[in-house]
Amino acid sequence: MRKALTTGFFAAVSLVAAAQSGTNSPYSQYGLGTLGEQSGGFNRGMNGLGIGFSEHNQVNCLNPASYATIDSLSFIFDAGVSGQITNYSESGVKVNAKNANFEYVIAGFRVAKRLGLSFGLLPYSNIGYSYSNKKPLNSTDGSTTVVYSNNAYSGSGGLHQVYLGAGWSPIKGLAIGVNAAYLWGDYTRSVVNSYTDVYANTLSKYYTAEVHSYKLDFGLQYTQKLTKKDALTLGLTYGLGHKLGADPKCQIISTNAQTAVADTTTHTIGNGLALPHTFGAGLMWNRANRWRIGVDYTLQKWSSVAYPKFDMSTNSYQLASGQFADRHKLTVGGEFCPEERGRNFFKRIHYRMGASYATDYLKIKGRNGPKEYSVSAGFGIPIVNGYNNRSLLNISAQWVRQDSKTFVTENSFRINIGLTFNERWFAKWKME
């Protein structure tokens, strides 16, 4: 079983690393793309809640301090996939799209008393879109021939992170932790302007960048006993903002439609991409390990991050501020498990729900991007067999609405499926 899980981990890493973008959103054409959910299967049933949660049988990578509470005899392996249907609507026009994606693979185990370790691979952002528009141009020479311009937009790519984290509890009730990640990926975006007039040149812009950097996230959790059955946990997180060392490029190609002769200009910005400082706080109330109810708030300081922009008036490609806004997200949710260690199968099921509100980090044409509303519900279903009765199948459904009165409105229905293997690796067997 150990060899199977180890092989499965590296196979899953290869699949995630090679996976295509899991989005069709036109909003992914801006910034670093659509931000991914950096959480495991049980968090997604509560709509991404988890800063204050410390689970002994689940890996909670939202707060690395939680690794300190992983069971001492367990090796936990969690992998998840998702599928979604999205409806895009703007000015009465509606389009549907489908996506499926291998989401994450994470693992965790106890290495010493009050010290837990976790590692895995998570998405950071996704880019994937392709659309075009066509419109007639007014004639300036009195000709009756209608000339059309066609603008085609496409992009692909995204960023991934493979991390190693540790959580340590120096004293009872207090835990601290850190995730150190290698962040990598690339993106390619293109804008092609062409015309039905054969005498007009085709103008193509290609925006590319390749990222090889690091990501650091720190966490703290403090648990206070209120009664024999009640406990309250405060969780705090901080993500380091820094430059990514990437050199984004803008390549402009003007092609003569008759001669196919192309004139190419390339602009490069040194160290032109960055991550924002991120702050998080969460509370979780635990009632006898049956009820767990929490609230999370996160703030990403995107407003202080400059991003490359091509200026048509000066024909220059340079860093410009004011393209991003701070992203705020508030999540409430919880789970209920009647008897986690009971003999009745249905009483061992974890029932989960959550809801969130978030603002977008993008500013589009000087206006704030869409607001996000989302709800989720899910189950943690125990896997019971002759070998193992501690593993879980985490299934959740999520509805997400990106609401905008000015731009495209998105409505997504997503199914998340995660399988958590919880194996006894470190138990000492006795023979009679």
Side-chain angles (χ1 to χ4, degrees):
M1 180 58 69
R2 298 186 188 185
K3 291 182 179 179
L5 290 178
T6 304
T7 302
F9 173 79
F10 287 107
V13 169
S14 300
L15 284 172
V16 176
Q20 297 299 312
S21 172
T23 182
N24 287 313
S25 174
Y27 293 115
S28 67
Q29 68 184 291
Y30 303 102
L32 296 180
T34 300
L35 301 179
E37 291 192 44
Q38 300 173 46
S39 59
F42 92 97
N43 303 99
R44 297 184 183 216
M46 300 178 290
N47 217 51
L49 186 71
I51 295 177
F53 281 67
S54 53
E55 300 294 302
H56 65 94
N57 60 351
Q58 299 277 354
V59 181
N60 179 22
C61 48
L62 290 174
N63 190 334
S66 66
Y67 306 152
T69 61
I70 294 177
D71 279 343
S72 59
L73 301 179
S74 296
F75 179 88
I76 303 171
F77 175 87
D78 188 6
V81 297
S82 71
Q84 70 178 29
I85 300 174
T86 305
N87 174 265
Y88 304 92
S89 61
E90 182 182 25
S91 302
V93 179
K94 297 183 178 180
V95 177
N96 293 327
K98 300 178 181 179
N99 290 103
N101 205 31
F102 197 106
E103 289 282 347
Y104 66 89
V105 53
I106 53 181
F109 59 95
R110 181 80 68 87
V111 294
K113 186 177 181 180
R114 297 183 178 180
L115 177 63
L117 188 72
S118 176
F119 56 94
L121 189 145
L122 296 164
Y124 184 81
S125 66
N126 284 312
I127 299 173
Y129 61 94
S130 180
Y131 67 95
S132 63
N133 57 52
K134 186 177 182 180
K135 61 182 180 180
L137 299 178
N138 294 328
S139 175
T140 58
D141 58 1
S143 173
T144 58
T145 302
V146 179
V147 176
Y148 290 89
S149 68
N150 185 72
N151 299 321
Y153 306 84
S154 64
S156 62
L159 301 181
H160 307 279
Q161 54 180 323
V162 58
Y163 77 91
L164 176 64
W168 176 52
S169 178
I171 59 176
K172 186 177 180 180
L174 177 66
I176 56 176
V178 60
N179 279 338
Y182 170 64
L183 186 71
W184 87 98
D186 56 41
Y187 67 76
T188 299
R189 295 182 171 114
S190 66
V191 181
V192 179
N193 307 108
S194 59
Y195 304 88
T196 56
D197 187 347
V198 296
Y199 296 100
N201 285 6
T202 296
L203 185 64
S204 305
K205 299 187 186 74
Y206 296 93
Y207 302 92
T208 59
E210 188 172 347
V211 173
H212 296 278
S213 189
Y214 67 92
K215 185 172 180 286
L216 287 176
D217 296 282
F218 304 90
L220 177 147
Q221 286 185 337
Y222 176 73
T223 300
Q224 177 65 52
K225 277 280 190 179
L226 303 178
T227 66
K228 289 184 178 180
K229 293 185 177 181
D230 299 287
L232 187 67
T233 299
L234 169 67
L236 300 174
T237 58
Y238 168 69
L240 179 66
H242 62 90
K243 290 281 190 177
L244 295 177
D247 302 331
K249 295 181 181 180
C250 174
Q251 188 177 57
I252 303 174
I253 304 174
S254 179
T255 306
N256 187 294
Q258 290 184 309
T259 64
V261 175
D263 182 20
T264 302
T265 303
T266 301
H267 304 269
T268 302
I269 299 177
N271 204 11
L273 300 179
L275 293 180
H277 295 284
T278 301
F279 306 88
L283 282 174
M284 188 271 288
W285 168 65
N286 185 336
R287 172 72 172 176
N289 289 327
R290 297 181 66 194
W291 288 96
R292 293 179 177 89
I293 299 174
V295 56
D296 284 356
Y297 169 74
T298 57
L299 168 64
Q300 293 179 308
K301 296 291 292 181
W302 285 100
S303 62
S304 59
V305 175
Y307 188 76
K309 182 179 181 180
F310 183 77
D311 190 335
M312 294 290 292
S313 61
T314 60
N315 196 34
S316 61
Y317 188 56
Q318 56 190 359
L319 289 176
S321 59
Q323 298 187 73
F324 298 146
D326 290 341
R327 185 175 189 263
H328 305 265
K329 184 176 182 180
L330 180 67
T331 303
V332 295
E335 75 166 16
F336 171 66
C337 180
E339 292 183 34
E340 185 178 43
R341 302 183 186 276
R343 294 186 177 183
N344 186 296
F345 175 82
F346 293 99
K347 288 186 177 181
R348 293 176 60 184
I349 295 177
H350 297 252
Y351 303 88
R352 302 171 179 134
M353 292 188 68
S356 299
Y357 167 78
T359 60
D360 201 359
Y361 79 101
L362 300 173
K363 280 194 172 182
I364 305 171
K365 298 180 180 179
R367 300 182 180 181
N368 290 332
K371 298 178 180 179
E372 180 182 292
Y373 306 88
S374 58
V375 294
S376 69
F379 303 94
I381 303 172
I383 299 174
V384 180
N385 53 45
Y387 177 77
N388 186 316
N389 62 359
R390 302 189 304 167
S391 297
L392 288 173
L393 176 63
N394 295 306
I395 301 176
S396 62
Q398 184 181 35
W399 171 77
V400 182
R401 178 178 175 85
Q402 299 273 6
D403 191 16
S404 175
K405 297 180 180 179
T406 307
F407 308 109
V408 176
T409 295
E410 300 180 7
N411 284 283
S412 299
F413 178 75
R414 181 180 302 139
I415 296 293
N416 299 301
I417 300 176
L419 187 57
T420 303
F421 294 96
N422 191 328
E423 302 295 334
R424 286 184 179 270
W425 276 23
F426 307 103
K428 293 182 180 180
W429 299 96
K430 294 183 178 180
M431 298 186 65
E432 296 181 358

